[in-house]
Amino acid sequence: MPGCLCGLLLFLFLSRSTHTHPWCPEGCCCPGPGSSVLCEGQGWRSLPRSVPPNVSALSVARNRLCDVDHLLLPFSRLRELSLSHNELSRFPRGLPSGLETLLLRVNRITYLTATSLRQLSNLTRLDMEDNRVRVIQAGTFQGLKQLRFLSLKGNRLSSIPDSLPGSLVHLDVSHNCISTLGLTSLASLVNLQMFKVNSNHLKFIPDRAFESLPSLKAVQLDDNLWACECDILYLYRWLLNSRLKMATDLVCAAPLHLARRFLLTLSVVAICPTFLRPNERISYNVLGLPHKLQESPRQALSNNAQISSSKPITGTYSLIQARAVKSKAKQNLSKDTALYSRQNQQNPQDLAPRYTLEEMNYVDCQAMAGNDVTSPGASVTSTAQPTVSESPRCSEDSTGSSPHENVTHVTITSVVLPTDKASFQPTILYRPVPPHEKNAIVALLAVLCVLVLLVLLAVILVLKKILERNRRVAPIEQS
């Protein structure tokens, strides 16, 4: 009886299969009719035909897809699509024109042509993080008048693409090979609020580069190859005067005698000695910069109080005073920077819009569908980056060589790309157990329960005989 009860309970537990709607493809999760379909981690090499045509959000991430050209064109109501963590070697063709969100993280895309995004005029979010993009043709993003979020993080770009749409609010080109910021590339970004260009090969920032970004609220510049020489004085002044959310602990990589020194701990004389000539008296303002570098004194960075500078400070003693005032201003600035950094850590994507496929993973979908998912650590996060297995079908690029006409980026060879170790985290994927595997497991456990019951009965019989033998009373001897 205990064995039968054990097997029955186990069967009822495992028989609670994934509850989905009748129209939902096998192995997928569909929380509601005609809304979202999540088919993640199924190992598919092609899209299933059972996906409903009226779906609005579709995720086929973490599969082995290498060619989806024109397969999604019939889904006219599709608004959000995730093809992340697959084996795509080029940008998919024939996508629905009404698409608003497209996620292509962790694929093998190497270039973008001018016609790749021509039909996606309604696109508001494009995420191509951790691909292999080296070349982007001129005018690729020109027709995307509604694009607000663009992430090209973790690719192999040598410069920022040209003709970026003015509607951009969030631009992430971190962890690339960018060595310079082109003024023409930034000139049209009048609505840009978040700009991430950290972990690149920047040595300096061109003069008046950030003046063309009037809406900028946060910028990330750390982990670059900053050359603390005369060309960096614009960035030096801008960091001291800016009130944006940013990391100001920029480390010098050159020249050799200033390597590993923080930029804001240096003086103007240390950065650019040519500004001080022998026997020349130079006027300094409260920040320790020559007046030809800064037109007028700024307000104090700590308490917004106006520092009096009615008379210019000159001579050797004035330089000491200016450095002392600048040092105090930098300390106050570091406090503000720490506060901004904490705010960014609490909500790093505060300027990015929210989307369905970003907020809901596979386990959340199962919970919304009424399924009991108790597997520990079975969350599917968007930041996990598992190693994509090599497939013979995807090893060759069917489109041939990359185009070389009107390109905005030049391929860089022998470059070691920076690695974002924090983004590589192991993830345990949840996979629904097929019915035949459930039946085999139930049968095996039922047999084990029967064997355990038989062993218990045998032990009980042996113990009973031992007790009966010990209870026997020897007969009384007759005299």
Side-chain angles (χ1 to χ4, degrees), residues 192-260:
L192 189 64
Q193 299 180 17
M194 168 66 79
F195 184 33
K196 297 183 179 180
V197 70
N198 53 293
S199 300
N200 276 281
H201 296 166
L202 292 176
K203 295 183 178 180
F204 64 94
I205 301 295
D207 291 346
R208 307 187 63 82
F210 293 127
E211 273 70 6
S212 60
L213 307 176
S215 303
L216 193 62
K217 295 181 179 179
V219 61
Q220 295 184 7
L221 299 168
D222 54 295
D223 195 14
N224 276 280
L225 304 179
W226 300 115
C228 296
E229 298 173 341
C230 296
D231 290 336
I232 207 172
L233 284 179
Y234 167 76
L235 177 61
Y236 180 83
R237 178 189 60 179
W238 187 80
L239 289 175
L240 288 176
N241 298 328
S242 178
R243 298 285 297 181
L244 301 182
K245 300 178 182 179
M246 73 184 83
T248 56
D249 53 346
L250 304 185
V251 181
C252 301
L256 186 60
H257 67 282
L258 296 179
R260 299 182 181 180

Side-chain angles (χ1 to χ4, degrees), residues 259-271:
R260 299 182 181 180
R261 296 278 301 275
F262 291 106
L263 174 61
L264 292 186
T265 63
L266 304 176
S267 64
V268 179
V269 181
I271 296 174

Side-chain angles (χ1 to χ4, degrees), residues 133-152:
V133 178
R134 293 177 178 268
V135 177
I136 298 181
Q137 279 190 345
T140 299
F141 302 102
Q142 192 170 5
L144 306 182
K145 303 299 183 181
Q146 301 183 26
L147 189 64
R148 295 173 54 84
F149 180 98
L150 175 60
S151 177
L152 296 169

Side-chain angles (χ1 to χ4, degrees), residues 254-324:
L256 186 60
H257 67 282
L258 296 179
R260 299 182 181 180
R261 296 278 301 275
F262 291 106
L263 174 61
L264 292 186
T265 63
L266 304 176
S267 64
V268 179
V269 181
I271 296 174
C272 188
T274 58
F275 278 111
L276 282 182
R277 299 176 182 176
N279 301 324
E280 183 178 4
R281 299 168 62 90
I282 301 179
S283 299
Y284 283 81
N285 55 33
V286 295
L287 293 181
L289 296 176
H291 280 294
K292 61 180 178 180
L293 294 180
Q294 189 170 351
E295 297 177 356
S296 60
R298 299 286 183 173
Q299 292 181 342
L301 297 177
S302 58
N303 53 10
N304 294 329
Q306 184 69 29
I307 298 179
S308 176
S309 59
S310 57
K311 295 182 179 181
I313 311 174
T314 59
T316 305
Y317 180 72
S318 65
L319 179 60
I320 297 176
Q321 286 182 330
R323 288 178 179 177

Side-chain angles (χ1 to χ4, degrees), residues 393-430:
R393 293 182 56 192
C394 300
S395 59
E396 297 181 359
D397 191 354
S398 59
T399 60
S401 59
S402 303
H404 296 283
E405 297 180 359
N406 298 326
V407 296
T408 60
H409 297 73
V410 180
T411 302
I412 296 181
T413 58
S414 301
V415 174
V416 180
L417 296 179
T419 304
D420 189 4
K421 297 182 180 179
S423 62
F424 289 86
Q425 300 177 356
T427 303
I428 302 176
L429 301 180
Y430 170 77

Side-chain angles (χ1 to χ4, degrees), residues 62-95:
R62 306 178 189 279
N63 284 283
R64 304 187 67 183
L65 304 176
C66 60
D67 188 4
V68 294
D69 289 353
H70 306 287
L71 297 179
L72 296 167
L73 193 58
F75 298 89
S76 57
R77 298 184 180 179
L78 190 62
R79 295 296 178 265
E80 299 183 31
L81 173 63
S82 176
L83 293 168
S84 301
H85 298 270
N86 278 283
E87 301 177 6
L88 301 176
S89 59
R90 54 182 171 82
F91 197 90
R93 304 173 181 175
L95 296 177

Side-chain angles (χ1 to χ4, degrees), residues 121-137:
S121 58
N122 295 320
L123 204 63
T124 61
R125 178 185 180 93
L126 177 60
D127 194 337
M128 298 189 62
E129 179 179 332
D130 290 320
N131 276 270
R132 306 173 184 178
V133 178
R134 293 177 178 268
V135 177
I136 298 181
Q137 279 190 345

